[in-house]
Amino acid sequence: GGLGAISSGLFKAFGAKWLEARFAERLQNLKSEQDQTIRYVQSTIDREIHRAKKLYDNEFTSLSDAWRKLRAAYDLSASTIGSFYPSVQNLNEEELERHLAARGMEEWRRNDCKKLKGQPLEDEYYRWSEWQRAVECDKHWRECRQQIDSTSIFFPSGFTEKFRAINDMICASNVEYEDRIRTYKVPQYGQGIDRFECTKKLRGDGKVKMDELETMVRNRLWSVAKEA
């Protein structure tokens, strides 16, 4: 009886300590697993937040740059419906040379111009000036198209089509503009055509599309800024 009581007492004493140790060990394991789970969840959340921020940043930059290039291309092409250049036929040779050089005309072309007088000089200067303008129009259109092609993947749904529609109108206006320069003072036979049709359309329907897209871009950029 006494031995049993001693054994029972030892079991209770050491058994309780063993159970406490096991419980503490299990509790520590659970805490460690919980910490790992929390770190994993936090890591996943951080990655998603970083990913979303990158997407927002790319969208903001892409839309801003595309709109800026479209605006520049549109304004330049829409303005080709009317051109004004200073008269050069009354300049003496030195003044003419200085003016043409300041405009960036090549030396060989300046020499050819200085051989002309009166209206032929005015016409040649006008055609050259218009071609310089046409080159700028084409440059801005191409830069805009490249911007859309390379970054439209970041545009929200519905934006790419509107950018491309206006850019196509700019292209048509530029082609028409170049044709007007080539046929400047060239006799035309048969039924006359409107040589400003595409440019007028750009200034009319294109202006409406530009205003609509500007509102869309502005609203989207502000919402992206808030969400980011």
Side-chain angles (χ1 to χ4, degrees), residues 58-195:
N58 286 330
E59 179 184 323
F60 189 95
T61 301
S62 299
L63 273 180
S64 299
D65 291 346
W67 172 253
R68 183 167 54 252
K69 290 182 182 296
L70 183 69
R71 179 85 258 179
Y74 173 85
D75 288 344
L76 188 60
S77 295
S79 68
T80 60
I81 200 166
S83 302
F84 174 77
Y85 302 104
S87 175
V88 294
Q89 62 178 316
N90 295 322
L91 299 178
N92 60 42
E93 184 171 333
E94 181 180 347
E95 292 171 335
L96 182 61
E97 167 66 22
R98 186 164 57 249
H99 176 74
L100 298 180
R103 286 291 312 277
M105 183 182 287
E106 303 90 333
E107 183 178 1
W108 66 270
R109 191 179 293 273
R110 297 201 303 271
N111 292 334
D112 287 346
C113 281
K114 285 184 289 186
K115 296 175 184 177
L116 302 174
K117 301 295 180 182
Q119 193 59 45
L121 172 60
E122 293 282 10
D123 292 342
E124 181 62 24
Y125 178 68
Y126 175 84
R127 276 189 289 266
W128 177 84
S129 298
E130 288 289 83
W131 277 119
Q132 301 309 301
R133 195 175 183 184
V135 168
E136 282 299 303
C137 286
D138 184 69
K139 175 186 174 184
H140 280 71
W141 168 75
R142 290 182 184 279
E143 289 179 350
C144 181
R145 186 192 65 180
Q146 291 170 358
Q147 181 70 29
I148 296 170
D149 289 345
S150 61
T151 63
S152 61
I153 190 174
F154 299 113
F155 291 1
S157 176
F159 278 73
T160 302
E161 296 80 3
K162 293 185 179 297
F163 269 96
R164 291 195 187 282
I166 299 172
N167 202 49
D168 288 344
M169 294 179 72
I170 293 172
C171 178
S173 176
N174 289 350
V175 171
E176 182 183 71
Y177 177 43
E178 291 177 10
D179 183 67
R180 291 201 301 270
I181 300 172
R182 279 190 292 267
T183 58
Y184 176 67
K185 288 197 172 182
V186 175
Q188 303 295 315
Y189 303 98
Q191 185 177 3
I193 61 173
D194 186 356
R195 298 187 177 279

